[in-house]
Amino acid sequence: MNKLTKSSSDKILFGVCGGMADFFNLPSLIVRLLFVFVPGSIAVYLIFALFLPKNSL
């Protein structure tokens, strides 16, 4: 099973959306749009950016 990590290849800022897209097997554009349009998700993004480990690939 995949671990939830920040992506090292599919990233714009910190790799959070790319990592979540890999984990949930979704396109990263969909995850990015959810973070932009869902209220309060910017705070969640920042928490994930601080605490998710980096992908070791």
Side-chain angles (χ1 to χ4, degrees):
M1 180 161 175
N2 292 338
K3 286 184 162 185
L4 182 57
T5 59
K6 292 187 277 189
S7 177
S8 60
S9 60
D10 185 12
K11 67 179 185 176
I12 292 178
L13 290 176
F14 299 106
V16 173
C17 292
M20 291 183 77
D22 288 340
F23 184 76
F24 291 112
N25 199 19
L26 294 170
S28 58
L29 177 64
I30 300 296
V31 177
R32 287 185 178 99
L33 289 174
L34 284 172
F35 270 107
V36 169
F37 290 113
V38 173
S41 62
I42 301 299
V44 174
Y45 182 89
L46 292 175
I47 292 169
F48 281 149
L50 289 173
F51 293 109
L52 279 181
K54 292 181 181 177
N55 190 351
S56 61
L57 291 178

